[in-house]
Amino acid sequence: MAEIKTLAATTRARVGKGAARSTRREGRIPAVIYGGGDPAEAIELDFRETNKLIYAGHFLTTQFDIEVAGAVQRVIPRDYQLDPVKDLPLHVDFLRLKPGSTLKVEVPVHLVNQETCPGVKKGGSVNVVRHSIEMRVPADSIPEAVTADLGALDINDSIHLSTLALPAGCKATQPERDFTIVTIAPPAVVPEDPAAAAAAAAAPKGKGGKAAPAAAAPAAKKK
């Protein structure tokens, strides 16, 4: 299960565009917690900490325990807005995670055993078709990744969704579509045939290092 991080927040007394701009001027990020059968709650977060978490990666699949006014809520980010010019965070939406509930998330695919892959050893290349899989997962057990093992793949072999072992309790949202996850593509240049190369090397050389032309057949004698 993915690591659960903590995040401090304070209640946001005012809402609306003007209040949000005022919050940002104070070095804070407006946010909201919704879902789980409870009313939406307006909060604000520290700008530096939030900006660091967003650009650290996997923000939308990371669970947080947010403490607001002494109460801790388990949440997951559902969306965030960035400034179109400065790429700085403007707003974050969090979804409450209740025990027993499920949610849709994009789970990244991690490749293993590339160094022992027979197809790669023969000069093939790893072609990743899908870097993540949309799945419905338990809210209290969101996986960090799905593992794709390349250890037995030869050139032109592939791994499809149906052959992956998904974490317990997790289901692909489109199981009827057997997506290709990764393939081993053949090398761009076909290796030279060793026998042909040896024959060419053994051929007599003419002027300039070029192979000598074959001897002409003797002319027929005139009767």
Side-chain angles (χ1 to χ4, degrees):
M1 186 178 70
E3 177 188 2
I4 299 173
K5 299 183 178 182
T6 59
L7 190 60
T10 56
T11 301
R12 187 157 47 101
R14 297 185 301 136
V15 296
K17 293 183 178 180
R21 285 194 293 267
S22 177
T23 298
R24 296 185 194 105
R25 284 196 295 268
E26 296 171 1
R28 312 283 289 175
I29 300 297
V32 63
I33 300 174
Y34 66 92
D38 296 332
E41 183 176 0
I43 60 172
E44 55 186 49
L45 310 168
D46 178 75
F47 171 82
R48 289 185 179 180
E49 185 177 13
T50 305
N51 189 62
K52 181 180 178 180
L53 288 168
I54 288 175
Y55 283 101
H58 307 295
F59 182 65
L60 295 178
T61 56
T62 301
Q63 297 181 63
F64 293 92
D65 281 340
I66 293 186
E67 181 179 353
V68 185
V72 177
Q73 303 182 62
R74 178 70 52 83
V75 301
I76 187 170
R78 291 281 77 184
D79 193 15
Y80 59 87
Q81 299 173 12
L82 299 178
D83 185 283
V85 177
K86 300 179 180 180
D87 285 335
L88 300 176
L90 299 176
H91 191 276
V92 183
D93 292 342
F94 292 99
L95 175 67
R96 290 189 185 90
L97 300 180
K98 297 289 186 177
S101 61
T102 63
L103 69 155
K104 287 195 297 185
V105 294
E106 289 279 345
V107 180
V109 175
H110 283 185
L111 307 180
V112 297
N113 295 326
Q114 296 185 60
E115 66 281 359
T116 60
C117 175
V120 172
K121 287 184 175 181
K122 294 176 182 178
S125 57
V126 178
N127 177 30
V128 182
V129 181
R130 298 184 74 89
H131 293 271
S132 63
I133 303 171
E134 186 183 68
M135 297 193 297
R136 183 162 288 278
V137 305
D140 56 353
S141 184
I142 300 174
E144 289 189 53
V146 175
T147 300
D149 190 345
L150 308 184
L153 297 190
D154 209 331
I155 290 176
N156 291 323
D157 285 348
S158 59
I159 293 177
H160 292 80
L161 175 62
S162 60
T163 60
L164 285 178
L166 301 184
C170 301
K171 295 182 179 180
T173 57
Q174 295 179 300
E176 71 283 356
R177 300 181 62 186
D178 197 13
F179 298 115
T180 299
I181 306 299
V182 60
T183 64
I184 305 300
V189 179
V190 179
E192 187 177 13
D193 181 14
K205 306 297 182 182
K207 293 183 178 180
K210 296 183 180 180
K221 293 183 178 180
K222 294 183 179 180
K223 291 183 180 181

